[in-house]
Amino acid sequence: MNQTEAGLSIQLRRLKPVQLRLLAELDQAGALGVAAARIGIAQPAASRLLADMEALLGLSLHERQGRGLQLTAVGRALARRAARIEIELADAARDMAEAATGRAGVVRVGAVTGPALSLVMPTLIALQSDLPDFRAEVTVATSVTLCDLLREGRLDFALARLSPGETQLEARVLAGEPLSLVVRRGHPLLVRPILSLHDLLGFDWVMGDDETLLTQTVVSRLTELDLPLPKRRISTSSFLFTLALLNQTDAIAPLATPVIDSFAGNPSVPFVSLPIDLGLAVAPFSLVTRIGAQMTPSAQRLADAVLAAS
């Protein structure tokens, strides 16, 4: 460690927790007044805290930009560390509460739709059977949203897909996700003795917009098969809205095969897979965590159970 690093290390230890919280919030909010309000202080007090930090460190942490301000490269670097400290303190509090009470705390897990239904749900049911006090909050969303929540410390881990160039999160690849073409029971295609690829394109398909992974996967595969793109008069990434459309129309929806397989044994479920395989599969999903983070015992137990079941 050179002298500059040694000196900064000493000065950083003199910063107050409220100063670190302010910097972390300022990085998120981009406005001093908003950041001050989030930590419960007045804007003049926030200005003094920021000025005191810069005087102590001997470095500029922010710069004026029009009527607002933005963090310098040094400020952003410290803000990211400050946010990480806040997350670690919150996790430490959860660890201590579990140790003090002897009870499992609330685990916050996120997942994209397929793994949420085919992996997270049965794992949670099994754990609750063995541990009646085990509690979990499950967030089902896109990979982008889940990774944002994970970086912010609002999830313990997620079953999602990392974007290229990710620097704050790490992933353990679990499994690929094949897709099936799903319709309502009684759909006209189900009575045909043989299905052709062109038969499928005579009906509406329900998918997300062009930016979603599932839609890109379907479009790419149909292009490989030299097929025209299907009609999409309604686009949605909502699983529930997709099921509602399937139930009330003759639309076709590509959905995760493990999810549909979990429904297949129940004849009361009004959805079935078409007996045709287009070779559709989205990229593998992963168990995603923050780099260097240590999960609470309850979260680690759930993560281990998910890994064992995958």
Side-chain angles (χ1 to χ4, degrees):
M1 177 181 291
N2 61 41
Q3 184 61 36
T4 300
E5 290 174 342
L8 283 174
S9 179
I10 293 172
Q11 301 298 3
L12 285 171
R13 287 179 171 83
R14 296 175 180 172
L15 292 176
K16 302 174 183 177
V18 67
Q19 290 175 314
L20 294 175
R21 288 179 56 206
L22 173 65
L23 201 60
E25 291 294 346
L26 185 56
D27 188 36
Q28 292 292 321
L32 187 60
V34 175
R38 287 181 180 177
I39 65 173
I41 64 175
Q43 184 167 335
S47 295
R48 288 193 296 273
L49 287 174
L50 190 56
D52 290 346
M53 292 175 69
E54 292 181 323
L56 178 64
L57 298 173
L59 294 168
S60 177
L61 302 178
H62 78 290
E63 56 191 8
R64 293 291 174 183
Q65 188 176 48
R67 294 185 176 181
L69 58 83
Q70 68 176 11
L71 295 181
T72 62
V74 173
R76 288 193 300 273
L78 181 55
R80 287 194 296 269
R81 294 292 183 178
R84 183 66 175 267
I85 290 169
E86 288 294 305
I87 293 171
E88 290 296 328
L89 287 174
D91 285 347
R94 296 168 64 207
D95 273 349
M96 293 169 67
E98 286 193 25
T101 63
R103 298 182 60 187
V106 178
V107 179
R108 304 163 303 181
V109 57
V112 291
T113 303
L117 296 177
S118 64
L119 199 53
V120 174
M121 184 171 67
T123 303
L124 283 174
I125 291 172
L127 276 180
Q128 287 181 326
S129 176
D130 295 334
L131 301 170
D133 66 338
F134 189 91
R135 295 174 296 155
E137 295 176 357
V138 182
T139 299
V140 180
T142 65
S143 290
V144 172
T145 298
L146 294 173
C147 289
D148 286 343
L149 293 173
L150 192 52
R151 289 187 208 94
E152 294 167 8
R154 295 163 62 185
L155 294 176
D156 293 303
F157 67 91
L159 301 184
R161 298 171 179 87
L162 283 188
S163 299
E166 175 62 54
T167 59
Q168 299 180 51
L169 305 176
E170 58 187 355
R172 176 171 175 175
V173 177
L174 296 187
E177 199 171 3
L179 302 176
S180 295
L181 299 179
V182 182
V183 296
R184 64 175 178 83
R185 293 186 187 271
H187 193 282
L189 288 176
L190 294 174
V191 299
R192 299 190 184 184
I194 299 176
L195 282 181
S196 73
L197 298 180
H198 289 281
D199 290 335
L200 306 176
L201 301 176
F203 295 86
D204 290 347
W205 285 37
V206 182
M207 296 182 288
D209 60 39
D210 292 338
E211 302 303 316
T212 61
L213 177 62
L214 186 148
T215 299
Q216 292 176 352
T217 299
V218 171
V219 169
S220 177
R221 181 56 179 158
L222 291 178
T223 301
E224 289 176 1
L225 296 172
D226 292 323
L227 292 172
L229 300 184
K231 294 182 294 183
R232 277 188 292 153
R233 289 187 290 184
I234 298 178
S235 293
T236 180
S237 295
S238 167
F239 181 68
L240 290 178
F241 194 78
T242 297
L243 294 184
L245 282 173
L246 291 182
N247 193 40
Q248 298 184 41
T249 70
D250 286 335
I252 300 171
L255 297 172
T257 300
V259 174
I260 303 307
D261 287 347
S262 69
F263 293 160
N266 187 345
S268 66
V269 174
F271 312 106
V272 293
S273 298
L274 288 172
I276 189 169
D277 183 6
L278 299 188
L280 294 168
V282 294
F285 63 88
S286 302
L287 191 148
V288 185
T289 56
R290 293 187 300 276
I291 293 176
Q294 180 176 345
M295 286 189 278
T296 65
S298 295
Q300 188 63 60
R301 181 161 191 166
L302 177 57
D304 290 342
V306 167
L307 289 172
S310 63

